[in-house]
Amino acid sequence: YVDAKDVEEYEKQNRILAGLEDIVDRLDLNDDRILTYCQPVYNVETRRYDTAEALMRLQLPEFGIVPPYQFIPLAEKHNLIHELSLIILNKTCAAIRRFLDEGLPLKRISVNFSIQEIRDDSFCLDIINIIQSNNIPYEKIAIEITESRNERDFDMVKDKIEELRAYGIKFYLDDFGTGYSNFERIMELPFDIIKFDRSMVIESGKNEASAYMVDTFASMFRKLNYRVLYEGIEDENDENRCINMYAQYLQGYKYSKPIEIEKLRSFLLDDHKSA
């Protein structure tokens, strides 16, 4: 059975999908309907905000800002996500170019891509072309990917990571701690940074056994020359606990909610924590 609210939601989803399809059909890498937000990342060692994660937002005339949970699953389901990601990458690169021209101390900004996108034969070329067109150093971009549960993806993902890392692009393993993790496979992939999910931060605060588990994972990654980033830091307890668990980067609402990418400038100029 469906009611009027279900019908209204169904029609809204269709209108959002139509908007996404129009964006993809036009493929304007500066499309105003795709907004670039970011979340600053705090560097524990330098005590600066010198990196950030780029985040996608959708703005449609009839709805205003559409939350990511409403449009990203639609884009992925209908194979529209890669074109949207390329728009975000292009706008992120353009912002980086402006920050560098102003002499701001930015190490890099990461952009999310799905395994679905990486499977595309043109993936590496798409990334390289956009970075080159914005005339920024390759090392100013990082790519975040989540672990694939499909064993057949492994060699493909490894080859493409290695191809892009040869240019200087960094790679993050996103959402570590959620669901299945094949440690043998993770260790064989040349990631630079392991992002511990908010669920791991919460787990580490429950009791000594849970804290020991998360600490052990982080220690293992550090000894293997991965850098560790904890997501979802909300207060000083989270911060102090994660610093004691080998954190090199911290990200979360304690430092900043997602902001328009131009507002990152004020964080890059700040030598100290704003918390």
Side-chain angles (χ1 to χ4, degrees), residues 210-237:
S210 296
Y212 176 78
M213 176 193 70
V214 177
D215 180 272
T216 300
F217 286 143
S219 174
M220 174 185 67
F221 285 125
R222 283 293 299 272
K223 289 176 180 177
L224 292 168
N225 296 320
Y226 296 95
R227 300 176 77 78
V228 175
L229 186 159
Y230 287 93
E231 295 185 283
I233 306 300
E234 296 188 352
D235 54 36
E236 277 195 28
N237 288 331

Side-chain angles (χ1 to χ4, degrees), residues 1-13:
Y1 295 95
V2 297
D3 57 22
K5 186 176 180 180
D6 294 323
V7 173
E8 181 182 352
E9 181 60 26
Y10 174 76
E11 291 177 346
K12 180 179 180 181
Q13 290 289 302

Side-chain angles (χ1 to χ4, degrees), residues 4-212:
K5 186 176 180 180
D6 294 323
V7 173
E8 181 182 352
E9 181 60 26
Y10 174 76
E11 291 177 346
K12 180 179 180 181
Q13 290 289 302
N14 280 338
R15 292 198 294 273
I16 292 172
L17 178 58
L20 293 173
E21 289 174 337
D22 184 65
I23 291 170
V24 169
D25 287 343
R26 293 173 185 266
L27 197 54
D28 174 5
L29 292 178
N30 295 303
D31 198 307
D32 291 337
R33 291 169 290 180
I34 297 296
L35 307 179
T36 311
Y37 277 57
C38 71
Q39 192 168 32
V41 175
Y42 180 64
N43 186 327
V44 174
E45 295 176 345
T46 65
R47 297 184 61 82
R48 297 185 68 99
Y49 297 98
D50 52 16
T51 67
E53 176 185 2
L55 301 167
M56 187 188 304
R57 297 292 184 263
L58 173 67
Q59 181 172 258
L60 297 176
E62 56 188 310
F63 300 119
I65 301 292
V66 181
Y69 70 84
Q70 289 189 340
F71 76 88
I72 289 181
L74 268 179
E76 292 178 337
K77 179 179 179 181
H78 294 274
N79 296 318
L80 306 172
I81 191 66
H82 186 52
E83 289 79 6
L84 304 182
S85 297
L86 293 181
I87 293 173
I88 285 296
L89 176 61
N90 182 65
K91 291 191 171 190
T92 298
C93 289
I96 291 172
R97 182 68 268 164
R98 291 191 292 275
F99 295 149
L100 295 179
D101 289 343
E102 295 172 27
L104 296 176
L106 173 69
K107 288 185 70 173
R108 62 182 166 270
I109 298 179
S110 62
V111 180
N112 289 274
F113 287 91
S114 67
I115 292 293
Q116 172 186 332
E117 296 176 76
I118 296 175
R119 292 190 186 109
D120 194 300
D121 290 340
S122 67
F123 177 77
C124 292
L125 185 59
D126 289 343
I127 303 301
I128 294 303
N129 284 343
I130 289 178
I131 295 174
Q132 287 181 342
S133 68
N134 284 278
N135 191 29
I136 65 169
Y138 293 106
E139 62 268 21
K140 297 300 179 181
I141 286 292
I143 292 176
E144 296 196 21
I145 61 175
T146 53
E147 183 185 4
S148 174
R149 300 187 184 188
N150 187 341
E151 286 291 314
R152 291 176 296 179
D153 286 335
F154 177 78
D155 289 333
M156 174 274 296
V157 171
K158 184 177 181 181
D159 288 345
K160 293 192 176 177
I161 291 177
E162 289 177 342
E163 180 177 346
L164 290 175
R165 283 186 87 243
Y167 284 87
I169 296 170
K170 301 293 186 184
F171 275 83
Y172 295 12
L173 174 65
D174 197 13
D175 295 338
F176 175 76
T178 59
Y180 169 82
S181 286
N182 184 328
F183 286 100
E184 180 182 359
R185 288 306 202 191
I186 290 174
M187 299 307 174
E188 291 182 31
L189 292 172
F191 290 111
D192 299 283
I193 293 178
I194 308 295
K195 295 187 72 171
F196 279 51
D197 186 73
R198 167 69 182 162
S199 62
M200 297 288 273
V201 177
I202 294 173
E203 188 68 26
S204 70
K206 288 182 177 179
N207 51 56
E208 288 187 8
S210 296
Y212 176 78

Side-chain angles (χ1 to χ4, degrees), residues 224-259:
L224 292 168
N225 296 320
Y226 296 95
R227 300 176 77 78
V228 175
L229 186 159
Y230 287 93
E231 295 185 283
I233 306 300
E234 296 188 352
D235 54 36
E236 277 195 28
N237 288 331
D238 287 344
E239 179 184 66
N240 292 332
R241 191 167 64 254
C242 290
I243 288 175
N244 289 330
M245 295 189 301
Y246 304 97
Q248 287 162 300
Y249 297 101
L250 299 170
Q251 179 179 350
Y253 279 20
K254 181 183 189 300
Y255 310 106
S256 175
K257 294 182 179 180
I259 56 175

